[in-house]
Amino acid sequence: MAENYFKKYPNAEGFFNEYGGAFIPPVLEAEMKKISDAYHMISKSHNFISELRSIRKHYQGRPTPVYFCNRLSEKYGARIYLKREDLNHTGAHKLNHCMGEALLAKFLGKKKLIAETGAGQHGVALATAAAYFGLECEIHMGEVDMAKEHPNVVRMQILGATVVPVSHGLKTLKEAVDSAFGAYMQDPINSIYCIGSVVGPHPFPMMVRDFQRVVGIEAKEQFFEMTGELPDKVVACVGGGSNAMGIFSAFLHDEECELYGVEPGGLSLNLGEHAATMTLGKPGMIHGFKCYVLQDENGEPSPVYSVASGLDYPGVGPEHSMLKDLGKVNYVSINDKECIDAFYELSRLEGIIPALESSHAVAYALKLAQQEPQKSILVNLSGRGDKDIDFVLEKYGLPENRKDI
Ligand SMILES: *Cc1c(COP(=O)(O)O)cnc(C)c1O
């Protein structure tokens, strides 16, 4: 049944029921078809699979562990476990799909990897993959995010990537996607746009999900080995939705597991002050595919905001959009204040500084733990928080002299 699901979704045109597809200019249609055909071919090839396996083990440091949070569980009630994607090389789950995309790019004879980045994690992961495979790399990043995530900008440059500042609109993730897409359109033959999440036109939502499935496959096995059972609840943050699809994909057919996708509630649920796409959006179109979209009064993607730069996107993966309609996953939100509280709780009770994105998932797990203390909760800790420390300290201060938010 589980394998059938992955064959059925998406269909040959890239649809997850009504969501997904590829609504792109004709010049890109042929390129997307080439990428899709190549992916179908090599994803069945023994050489490709064994090269990817070897990279994951020897270069990325997989499998990442599952960790039982002793002190956090004691304080909040339930048994809380973390899938430690923060321990993946480069500090987040993103390298899982970047190494796959770069390996595919190499197979296609591409010279240059192009992408957008929000918090800079995807940019760093892709620049790392480009260095590994000897490819050029160009990363588009909003100027607001560049200021907020300065260490990641420097990392990308050290790794040899060109960082292109994006100065229009809100100067964050959506504009960076527009800019990267524009650059790719200039030369789709020699370059490839490596999308940073389970979004964009087909085949990206499918490929990125497939490359991230390793997270769920490992976590399920590890959790079972530790406890002899499956987790009652699995929690992951959702920006575009790649880390969440990675972990959820292993539990979609286990009726006893409840799945929670956590979106950024930001400052308030007023338009422009959050990025809770599934909670407050409507089906629409963005960046060449159909999904839930936060829209303004004209039906255009609305401005979004989150304290976590990696989550502020007004769209979301088409597969998540389908899973919401099917009722397979609960989509909820956590605001900035709850996120910062969880950031410090995990840091001080477990010695693990989480990314602000991942702190949203931790925050929701703490709520669940208090509501149902007899349950077990597995959280996908998508990344580490080193990139966020200066920003958090400056904006909010330490817990003992916290500035109001
Ligand atoms: C990019 C990022 C996210 C959000 O992306 P998804 O595609 O929703 O997973 C979450 N956590 C971290 C640490 C990230 O870098």
Side-chain angles (χ1 to χ4, degrees), residues 183-199:
Y184 173 51
M185 294 276 288
Q186 309 277 311
D187 185 11
I189 303 295
N190 292 307
S191 60
I192 180 168
Y193 184 1
C194 293
I195 294 174
S197 188
V198 285
V199 297

Side-chain angles (χ1 to χ4, degrees), residues 169-212:
L170 289 182
K171 306 174 191 164
T172 59
L173 188 56
K174 183 191 163 289
E175 292 78 18
V177 177
D178 296 336
S179 171
F181 212 69
Y184 173 51
M185 294 276 288
Q186 309 277 311
D187 185 11
I189 303 295
N190 292 307
S191 60
I192 180 168
Y193 184 1
C194 293
I195 294 174
S197 188
V198 285
V199 297
H202 180 65
F204 283 94
M206 170 185 71
M207 291 197 309
V208 172
R209 173 202 64 193
D210 290 354
F211 291 137
Q212 289 294 347

Side-chain angles (χ1 to χ4, degrees), residues 191-265:
S191 60
I192 180 168
Y193 184 1
C194 293
I195 294 174
S197 188
V198 285
V199 297
H202 180 65
F204 283 94
M206 170 185 71
M207 291 197 309
V208 172
R209 173 202 64 193
D210 290 354
F211 291 137
Q212 289 294 347
R213 279 181 63 190
V214 64
V215 176
I217 292 167
E218 285 176 9
K220 189 173 188 175
E221 211 176 283
Q222 292 164 317
F223 190 92
F224 192 81
E225 211 167 81
M226 290 169 86
T227 66
E229 53 192 29
L230 292 180
D232 295 312
K233 296 163 193 293
V234 179
V235 185
C237 65
V238 175
S242 64
N243 87 87
M245 270 329 302
I247 197 154
F248 291 168
S249 58
F251 299 96
L252 282 174
H253 302 281
D254 298 307
E255 297 295 331
E256 67 270 41
C257 295
E258 290 177 324
L259 309 178
Y260 295 88
V262 187
E263 298 191 306

